[in-house]
Amino acid sequence: MLKTYIFNEPNKSWVEENTSLLFHDLCAILDEERKIIYLWNGPKSSKERLNKGYKLLENLMSSYPHIHFQLSILKKEVPDYIQNKLESMLNEIKQEDEREYQKFTRFITIRLYLIFLIVSLILPILFALNLGSSLFWTNIGNNFKVSADIYSNWLYISYILIIISLISFVIITAIGIFESEHQAIVYSLLGVIICSGIAFYLQQGIFLFLFQDGSTASIYYIRQNDIFIFLIVIITGIMIFELPNAKKLISFMATYRKYIF
């Protein structure tokens, strides 16, 4: 039969406790059958507490005058039956830690958040690739030559992609507010703000660039440096919200994988 005691440091005494255990506790497990006292010092406990409890073990052993106990301080190797006892007593605090770590409380919000987070990460990449296709326009000296139709479609596709990204981030923000998940709110708001700014910027249409000499109503000549600067600004803005949200996606999937798959 196993009996467990927790060291009460303020009272300098050992108190019997058989149901729950905390990570900062110092615990003595008495195996009367094998005549062994196992001393477990929690991962958040201190060596000072261990030393104090060790010095007062005689008070605990005096309650069992008929047994001569052997002392074993638990380190890496722990007997299976002792490990099982420790895990059962730590189960309650582990569940509380998990509830604190897992902010989302509903299957539907977990799955919706995952779907829209993936969408909001993929679409800006497609958006950037579409804008980057401008680097393959006809090269004339220091300018790019592009037809009005291609330019119009280029902007239209980009605008649609960034608007859908914006809507996704708005939905994610709403889910974050509903679940009171502050990190999700902050990261998604970054996306909302930057996507809104980019969408407003793209609405300038033909006024995005200063067309060069030779441009007509059907053919545009745009300085290569203007395209380069435009792409750098846009991609920098995208990276500001892509990186934290990509990190959030990885941590989210690690935390809620058992509810997702």
Side-chain angles (χ1 to χ4, degrees):
M1 179 179 177
L2 298 179
K3 288 189 177 182
T4 52
Y5 295 83
I6 293 175
F7 180 60
N8 188 319
E9 191 171 1
N11 295 332
K12 296 181 180 180
S13 62
W14 287 94
V15 180
E16 187 170 3
E17 173 58 62
N18 291 307
T19 57
S20 62
L21 190 62
L22 302 176
F23 291 122
H24 62 259
D25 282 335
L26 173 63
C27 178
I29 304 175
L30 275 67
D31 185 342
E32 295 182 70
E33 183 180 341
R34 293 176 176 83
K35 300 180 181 180
I36 301 175
I37 293 182
Y38 294 98
L39 202 57
W40 178 83
N41 198 33
K44 294 185 179 180
S45 183
S46 63
K47 188 173 284 188
E48 181 182 359
R49 178 174 295 169
L50 174 61
N51 292 334
K52 289 179 180 179
Y54 179 80
K55 291 177 182 178
L56 293 171
L57 269 178
E58 288 185 5
N59 296 340
L60 177 59
M61 288 187 288
S62 64
S63 302
Y64 301 86
H66 57 289
I67 303 176
H68 179 69
F69 285 104
Q70 178 186 353
L71 177 63
S72 176
I73 299 177
L74 297 174
K75 294 182 181 178
K76 291 184 178 179
E77 294 183 6
V78 181
D80 290 341
Y81 73 104
I82 297 296
Q83 184 66 42
N84 292 336
K85 179 63 175 177
L86 289 171
E87 288 181 358
S88 67
M89 294 181 69
L90 288 168
N91 187 55
E92 184 177 344
I93 189 64
K94 285 181 178 179
Q95 289 179 348
E96 289 181 5
D97 284 352
E98 187 175 359
R99 285 193 293 268
E100 177 63 24
Y101 185 57
Q102 296 178 349
K103 300 290 186 179
F104 284 73
T105 58
R106 294 168 175 81
F107 284 112
I108 184 65
T109 52
I110 289 173
R111 287 162 183 170
L112 284 176
Y113 181 82
L114 177 65
I115 291 168
F116 283 105
L117 183 56
I118 292 173
V119 169
S120 64
L121 287 172
I122 292 176
L123 290 184
I125 294 174
L126 297 178
F127 166 78
L129 290 174
N130 182 67
L131 290 181
S133 66
S134 60
L135 298 176
F136 298 96
W137 291 343
T138 304
N139 191 342
I140 306 293
N142 294 323
N143 298 327
F144 285 118
K145 176 184 175 182
V146 60
S147 70
D149 288 340
I150 291 176
Y151 180 86
S152 178
N153 289 334
W154 176 69
L155 279 185
Y156 178 74
I157 293 172
S158 299
Y159 184 77
I160 293 299
L161 289 172
I162 206 65
I163 287 296
I164 298 174
S165 300
L166 173 59
I167 294 170
S168 295
F169 276 121
V170 170
I171 294 172
I172 291 172
T173 304
I175 294 172
I177 293 171
F178 179 77
E179 291 284 8
S180 299
E181 221 285 25
H182 302 300
Q183 193 177 73
I185 295 170
V186 172
Y187 290 170
S188 56
L189 278 176
L190 271 177
V192 170
I193 293 168
I194 294 173
C195 287
S196 297
I198 292 174
F200 180 77
Y201 188 32
L202 293 181
Q203 281 187 322
Q204 296 183 65
I206 61 173
F207 300 106
L208 268 176
F209 305 101
L210 180 63
F211 296 150
Q212 302 302 300
D213 293 339
S215 297
T216 64
S218 59
I219 298 294
Y220 303 147
Y221 289 92
I222 306 171
R223 287 181 58 196
Q224 292 179 0
N225 285 343
D226 290 349
I227 292 289
F228 294 150
I229 292 171
F230 170 75
L231 291 176
I232 290 171
V233 170
I234 294 295
I235 292 173
T236 300
I238 290 174
M239 294 302 290
I240 290 173
F241 66 78
E242 280 280 289
L243 291 177
N245 278 287
K247 180 181 177 182
K248 179 64 178 176
L249 175 62
I250 294 170
S251 64
F252 182 84
M253 292 185 70
T255 303
Y256 299 98
R257 60 184 180 278
K258 63 182 178 182
Y259 303 112
I260 296 170
F261 304 110

